[in-house]
Amino acid sequence: MTSPKPRVVLGVSAGIAAYKVCELLRRLTESGHDVTVVPTDDALRFVGEPTWAALSGRPVFTRVWDGVADVPHVRLGQNADLVFVAPATADLLARAAQGLADDLLTNTLLTARCPVVFAPAMHTEMWEHPATRANVATLRSRGAVVVEPASGRLTGKDTGPGRLPDPAELFEVARRVLARGATAPDLAGRHVVVSAGGTREALDPVRFLGNRSSGLQGHALARTAVARGARVTLVAANVALPDPAGAEVVPVGSATELRAAVLDAAATADAVVMAAAVADFRPADYRESKIKKVDAEPEPIRLVKNPDILAELGETRRPGQVIVGFAAETHDVLPNGRAKLARKRSDLLVVNQVGDGLAFGRPDNAAVVLGADGSETEVPRGAKEALADAVWDLVVARLGRRPPD
């Protein structure tokens, strides 16, 4: 017996970014979701009803009085597995926070007992206004996931925070929230820092010492944390991946740059997860011009140690802060992991085997998560999102009942 398709109500409010939501709808329907689009009347000024109907394959509901016999203003919310509003304008956020029910979309929000996600999009001044920030805080306090908007080009010549995140990344948020079912966003009100990718240490203007880390695991951790309600700072070292929706992304290159960014973000963080592959060494001397190939043997490259960021985090942590490290090992995986856990003073250490096509650049991963309390949690090979969820489960357990700052 096959399971029914997940039922998604896609709410669309009146913002120019509504045209981008067509791509989100396409991804939802093509991946097997049953999607009902509920646009506001003014949203139809940007994208018309025939477009939503054609892409969803279902009738489009717009007014409380449409199909009254089926009581759509109650049934849509009651029957949904997810309500996802994109774009969520300042007006829609205000009406939702106040519990108004003046159109079909706000009625649906009031009757929904499933997870609700808002993806705001508006001008920077509107997003940063105290009224909007208060409305966002209210919605989050009620269990909704409000995805932080991206920064970039807005309408006209304006740029700044308020841009709707990439539809492909919004789809990942929807997918992760649906995977958790009715579970409350247990990282709501928390600030978490995740590092991702691999650092590069320059030899000359052309060459560098680096590693094979792609950043996929760090991005999976960031995406999953957003879906669980966290405010996420992602420090990304040389990552060629789209920014996860809802995460503040800080791009860095070298280990020293990553250290500065992580320590700065960690000052207000409840948890720090160091998934990046940080170079242990860097060249002692940087050549200002390209090193030329000559007949003689090249001079040896003298290396010096990079700062130990994970150990520094362990020594300087805030009270109640949870520190998570990663250890990529090629042999003696668990013994090396246990020694590193003690040395770094981390709460958790995610130990995985690398080499021979494992971990780096792959969509799957397997690991054993070692705890400073002596615990060992084995995570079998699977999607990197599954490992990310397992890590956040262990972090949440250690954050315990301490209230967010």
Side-chain angles (χ1 to χ4, degrees), residues 107 186 196 203 213 294 305 322 343-344 366 379 397:
N107 272 270
D186 52 7
L203 286 166
S213 180
V294 295
K305 285 185 177 181
V322 177
R343 200 166 58 246
K344 306 294 185 179
V379 183

Side-chain angles (χ1 to χ4, degrees), residues 115 174-187 224 227-229 389 392-393 396:
R175 194 171 66 84
R176 297 308 306 150
V177 172
L178 277 166
R180 290 183 55 76
T183 305
D186 52 7
L187 286 172
T224 303
R228 294 172 76 147
D389 263 325
W392 290 124
D393 286 345
V396 168

Side-chain angles (χ1 to χ4, degrees), residues 109-175:
L109 289 168
L110 281 179
T111 58
R113 294 300 179 266
C114 60
V116 176
V117 179
F118 295 91
M122 64 198 74
H123 273 77
T124 302
E125 294 84 356
M126 300 173 75
W127 173 247
E128 294 178 346
H129 195 282
T132 303
R133 303 309 299 167
N135 290 330
V136 168
T138 296
L139 292 168
R140 285 173 172 163
S141 72
R142 295 174 184 159
V145 173
V146 184
V147 179
E148 291 285 318
S151 291
R153 182 70 180 269
L154 306 173
T155 53
K157 296 181 180 180
D158 294 342
T159 61
R163 182 182 176 90
L164 189 74
D166 183 89
E169 291 300 317
L170 289 177
F171 169 71
E172 291 298 328
V173 173
R175 194 171 66 84

Side-chain angles (χ1 to χ4, degrees), residues 284-300:
D285 302 303
Y286 173 76
R287 303 289 184 88
E288 296 292 342
S289 58
K290 179 183 175 182
I291 301 171
K292 296 292 187 180
K293 183 178 180 180
V294 295
D295 292 337
E297 288 296 314
E299 294 181 6

